[in-house]
Amino acid sequence: MTTWIDTSCILVVFLALSILATYRITGMIHIFVVQSFVLSFVPFFLHADALTGRDVMLVLATLVLKAIVAPYILFWAIRHMSMRSEVKPFIGFGTSIICGTFLIAGAFWVASSLKLPGKLISDLVIPCSLSTVLLGFMIIVTRTKAITQVLGYLVMENGIFLFALSLFDAMPTLIEMGILLDIFVAVFIMAIVVNHINEEFEHAPASLRRTKMGETL
Amino acid sequence: MLSVLILIPFVCGLVVFLPMERRLRVRILCAVSLVHAMIVASFWKVNPPSEINGFLMLDAIGLIVLSIVSFLFLSVSVYMVGYFHHEQRRTRTFVACLLLLLSTMTLVSVSRHMGLLWVAIEATTLFSAPLISFHRNPESLEATWKYLLVCSVGIALALLGTFFLAIAAHDVHTLLLPVLLSGAKMLSVNWLKLSVIFLLVGYGCKMGLAPMHSWKPEAYGQAPGMIAALMSGALTQCSFLALIRVSQICAKTGLSEFYASILIVTGALSLVAPAIFILGEGNIKRAFAYSSVEHMGILVLGLGLGPVGIFGAFFHMINNAVAKVAAFLAAGSLAQKYGSSRATEVKGVIHLYPVTGVLLIAGFLAGTGMFPFATFHSELMILNAAVLSGHYLLALVYLGGILVMFIGVLRIVLEMALGKPTQPVLPAKENFLMNAAIAVAMIISLGLGLWMPDILTKVLNDAVALVRI
């Protein structure tokens, strides 16, 4: 099963990097769906020999919240948006990918000095999760639109989630569900704010639109 | 009893979503806050038993935070009855979010599991965000967005820190605080250090410590006065509670020195950074926001400076919350009357609204730590702790920061209070309930400055004993 876990980890990082390199917002959301989909099956691979009801519940909850509900909310938030692609990121797409690869290298370097106590399922879980967190960070700081920043936040959460799976036993189910629920509500509220921002600026006369604010849209 | 205390506001928060008259919602908030405050007051006499396998438990530190939260909600809800007398906006989401916020803040103060603590603090971020954009204009939406994004990312880092803590506690198998503390010898120190850094950055972001404070002036400047009061007085203390919990763990594992050094550096930064920005500020609510950054710096500084400082920090938590309520409610009251909180547009308040004007000046004095208000004593205690522990340079920076902040805010307050009156939007008539809420906070701040009740000293000493080795 280690092969499957390794493959999933690498896929998660690769998909995060693809989001960083994608131009269209709908494309980014689609890639995020695939990433969440891959991620949600990791508990299956981790506990393939002795599946419990808890694993199944976690897989289902992740799948529903991250791969279905969250993207749906994001699509809802951008339904009226006239601009469907990222305009003028602070760093160009080519440079973003190069920076991204440096971040991945850095994450692997840092992770090499972090030793987990207890048995380790796969060597790739920690470096890959750190890489994904860093790539998510990079999406947040280099992209200028609110909706892409939400996506960056979600990618970052996916990285943290991958990390959480490696210490499955330390957290009670209740807390895990709480964390998932919080992230879901976060996306929900962020989407509402994005929607309000859009409405406010679609209706505001052009003279009131400040360039500073326009850039964050 | 603890779960009831969490559930009452939660259920009422859902109830106010039903269609009803807008002022009824505010009355429900008032009633819930009153019941909440009465139950919390009873906890000072009898400590409630722990619940849900020890996940919920109230200790002395939790009691201080819970009492602050409860008092702040009570004064804000009384104030809101007066505020919504003139305000025609819809109250549904607003009051619902406030009640849910009360419920989650209560959960923060009583949770004994580091994972549950994270869940609760993240929930407070989510329910407070819609409150900032009450006025629904571009500026307030921008402030909401900034708050939501900066705090969510910060809190995500705290989640990572919590997971690191779980790895450090691999041999203990749980994140329940009492078990963590009793099995402190079994924690892995390297992972714990990493976890402490992430937790400090994460929760520090939510608390508004420099250099992660950029959301604070925007959010407090745009939010209505009562929301700014709640955020600066109660919400930030919830994150500070998380930092105190980390401090408890560090004390047991011999990492106190390491943690204290980070706290002192962060605290000093939070004293210097707002002092630079305050001088160019012209908006009273933004000025109080910078003052809030400074007070958060004072709190973490106290936490890092040993027993005297910790006692000062706990006392300052209460004093700062009470003073901030008075300051922000007075500023919010003027913002409603004049439609602005800029010193250039609001002048001569004391001629048109003598009571509010006097309360604004009193709130400013309490907020910046002037004698005889209680903030003066707690700030002095922390200064004392800095000198006693031999941090002379730090003591100088501390005094300098406080002095610059005092001058910076004084300039704006005097400009607003005195001078030739500008014309307000609303008729020049004082509102009794709004002023009463501010006055009660003011009296408490003054009272604590002149006389310290025995029961409070006892609870503060108990709280200090929990953090000390």
Side-chain angles (χ1 to χ4, degrees):
Chain A
M1 273 300 142
T2 319
T3 333
W4 283 101
I5 301 173
D6 286 352
T7 317
S8 316
C9 288
I10 293 171
L11 259 179
V12 167
V13 177
F14 175 74
L15 290 168
L17 199 62
S18 331
I19 293 183
L20 196 59
T22 306
Y23 185 69
R24 292 177 63 81
I25 290 170
T26 42
M28 292 170 106
I29 302 178
H30 283 136
I31 299 174
F32 169 75
V33 172
V34 180
Q35 193 192 38
S36 306
F37 189 76
V38 172
L39 194 71
S40 58
F41 281 98
V42 173
F44 265 152
F45 303 140
L46 278 172
H47 298 253
D49 39 351
L51 271 181
T52 57
R54 190 181 163 196
D55 295 293
V56 179
M57 207 165 89
L58 191 65
V59 167
L60 280 181
T62 320
L63 201 64
V64 170
L65 287 182
K66 288 200 174 217
I68 299 170
V69 180
Y72 180 81
I73 298 173
L74 290 182
F75 277 121
W76 172 82
I78 61 165
R79 73 201 186 287
H80 293 313
M81 220 144 89
S82 43
M83 283 183 293
R84 288 299 176 94
S85 49
E86 177 69 40
V87 273
K88 282 198 294 178
F90 291 121
I91 302 178
F93 292 99
T95 328
S96 301
I97 297 182
I98 295 171
C99 291
T101 41
F102 276 117
L103 286 180
I104 295 173
F108 270 79
W109 181 70
V110 170
S112 65
S113 57
L114 293 174
K115 287 280 164 281
L116 270 182
K119 73 173 174 69
L120 197 63
I121 317 105
S122 158
D123 287 337
L124 283 177
V125 174
I126 295 186
C128 285
S129 63
L130 282 183
S131 310
T132 316
V133 170
L134 288 176
L135 289 174
F137 240 139
M138 180 143 174
I139 298 173
I140 296 175
V141 293
T142 58
R143 297 297 179 254
T144 47
K145 282 194 170 188
I147 190 86
T148 36
Q149 288 172 344
V150 180
L151 262 167
Y153 170 74
L154 282 170
V155 169
M156 196 177 141
E157 285 288 355
N158 271 355
I160 295 176
F161 189 75
L162 185 60
F163 189 84
L165 293 175
S166 62
L167 41 112
F168 197 65
D169 302 326
M171 287 278 173
T173 321
L174 190 75
I175 305 294
E176 262 162 11
M177 290 301 142
I179 292 171
L180 272 175
L181 185 72
D182 265 358
I183 292 165
F184 158 69
V185 179
V187 176
F188 185 64
I189 290 182
M190 282 179 181
I192 291 178
V193 177
V194 169
N195 197 40
H196 283 332
I197 293 178
N198 289 334
E199 270 178 12
E200 196 62 45
F201 284 87
E202 296 285 323
H203 297 153
S207 58
L208 285 179
R209 296 184 196 175
R210 291 185 295 139
T211 30
K212 192 177 150 222
M213 185 67 190
E215 276 170 13
T216 56
L217 280 180
Chain B
M1 206 62 202
L2 292 175
S3 42
V4 175
L5 197 64
I6 298 167
L7 279 176
I8 294 174
F10 187 82
V11 173
C12 293
L14 299 181
V15 168
V16 293
F17 266 113
L18 298 173
M20 59 177 80
E21 210 262 317
R22 31 184 288 281
R23 275 189 220 161
L24 182 64
R25 291 203 183 92
V26 182
R27 302 237 160 87
I28 291 178
L29 175 71
C30 233
V32 173
S33 307
L34 189 65
V35 171
H36 192 275
M38 275 166 18
I39 297 177
V40 172
S42 76
F43 291 164
W44 283 75
K45 286 267 177 215
V46 190
N47 201 20
S50 70
E51 286 177 34
I52 323 181
N53 304 327
F55 273 56
L56 304 182
M57 206 181 108
L58 192 68
D59 57 3
I61 309 172
L63 182 61
I64 296 174
V65 176
L66 188 59
S67 311
I68 293 175
V69 168
S70 198
F71 169 72
L72 256 60
F73 263 90
L74 188 59
S75 15
V76 161
S77 57
V78 171
Y79 175 89
M80 269 174 65
V81 176
Y83 189 88
F84 276 95
H85 194 67
H86 299 294
E87 190 64 60
Q88 295 308 318
R89 272 170 209 282
R90 291 169 64 186
T91 53
R92 195 168 69 174
T93 326
F94 191 72
V95 175
C97 280
L98 270 172
L99 284 164
L100 294 174
L101 188 63
L102 175 60
S103 165
T104 47
M105 281 202 214
T106 311
L107 182 60
V108 172
S109 14
V110 300
S111 79
R112 296 308 302 273
H113 186 281
M114 295 302 281
L116 183 62
L117 186 68
W118 181 87
V119 171
I121 292 186
E122 165 74 9
T124 58
T125 315
L126 299 175
F127 293 128
S128 52
L131 298 173
I132 300 173
S133 59
F134 176 66
H135 293 299
R136 195 69 78 76
N137 49 18
E139 288 80 14
S140 70
L141 281 170
E142 191 180 2
T144 311
W145 184 248
K146 209 167 177 179
Y147 169 71
L148 201 53
L149 200 71
V150 172
C151 286
S152 299
V153 171
I155 290 286
L157 290 181
L159 179 62
L160 206 53
T162 310
F163 288 144
F164 288 154
L165 184 65
I167 294 180
H170 182 262
D171 298 330
V172 191
H173 285 299
T174 177
L175 284 179
L176 268 178
L177 199 64
V179 186
L180 272 181
L181 294 179
S182 57
K185 295 276 180 298
M186 284 146 75
L187 299 186
S188 142
V189 174
N190 283 336
W191 280 99
L192 189 59
K193 276 187 180 169
L194 197 65
S195 148
V196 163
I197 295 171
F198 272 84
L199 288 172
L200 182 72
V201 172
Y203 291 129
C205 217
K206 182 75 197 298
M207 203 178 152
L209 290 172
M212 293 90 76
H213 67 282
S214 58
W215 60 269
K216 225 171 191 179
E218 308 281 334
Y220 292 2
Q222 292 303 326
M226 56 258 185
I227 300 307
L230 276 182
M231 289 176 74
S232 66
L235 201 52
T236 48
Q237 315 289 9
C238 289
S239 314
F240 185 56
L241 179 70
L243 294 186
I244 298 172
R245 298 289 184 218
V246 176
S247 187
Q248 280 182 280
I249 298 171
C250 285
K252 289 279 181 196
T253 42
L255 282 182
S256 312
E257 293 279 310
F258 169 75
Y259 189 49
S261 59
I262 313 179
L263 285 178
I264 290 175
V265 171
T266 325
L269 254 181
S270 307
L271 279 163
V272 175
I276 298 169
F277 290 107
I278 186 71
L279 295 173
E281 196 49 69
N283 183 317
I284 185 73
K285 281 202 283 188
R286 286 177 64 99
F288 283 141
Y290 283 119
S291 162
S292 169
V293 176
E294 186 210 19
H295 284 277
M296 294 304 117
I298 294 175
L299 285 179
V300 289
L301 211 61
L303 192 60
L305 285 172
V308 181
I310 297 173
F311 186 93
F314 284 139
F315 190 34
H316 195 66
M317 275 169 89
I318 302 173
N319 300 339
N320 176 45
V322 174
K324 278 288 176 294
V325 170
F328 272 115
L329 290 189
S333 160
L334 293 177
Q336 189 191 32
K337 291 180 171 86
Y338 287 85
S340 163
S341 42
R342 308 202 127 268
T344 43
E345 290 159 34
V346 185
K347 281 191 196 320
V349 174
I350 213 139
H351 303 294
L352 286 178
Y353 302 100
V355 183
T356 317
V358 169
L359 287 174
L360 178 74
I361 295 174
F364 148 72
L365 290 175
T368 46
M370 281 303 278
F371 186 79
F373 293 101
T375 32
F376 173 79
H377 297 282
S378 44
E379 284 183 3
L380 199 64
M381 275 176 206
I382 294 167
L383 177 68
N384 189 16
V387 174
L388 281 179
S389 56
H391 293 91
Y392 299 114
L393 185 66
L394 183 68
L396 268 182
V397 171
Y398 181 84
L399 281 177
I402 292 178
L403 186 70
V404 175
M405 185 57 67
F406 178 78
I407 297 169
V409 187
L410 176 75
R411 197 174 43 91
I412 304 170
V413 170
L414 284 187
E415 207 176 322
M416 287 176 82
L418 310 171
K420 192 164 169 277
T422 44
Q423 203 50 43
V425 182
L426 293 177
K429 197 166 148 245
E430 301 268 12
N431 186 306
F432 174 73
L433 280 177
M434 283 161 95
N435 285 337
I438 307 169
V440 168
M442 234 39 275
I443 291 167
I444 291 178
S445 182
L446 195 63
L448 283 178
L450 299 173
W451 175 67
M452 182 94 151
D454 291 338
I455 186 160
L456 184 61
T457 321
K458 187 183 162 296
V459 169
L460 287 175
N461 278 325
D462 288 350
V464 175
L466 287 174
V467 184
R468 282 176 69 183
I469 308 158

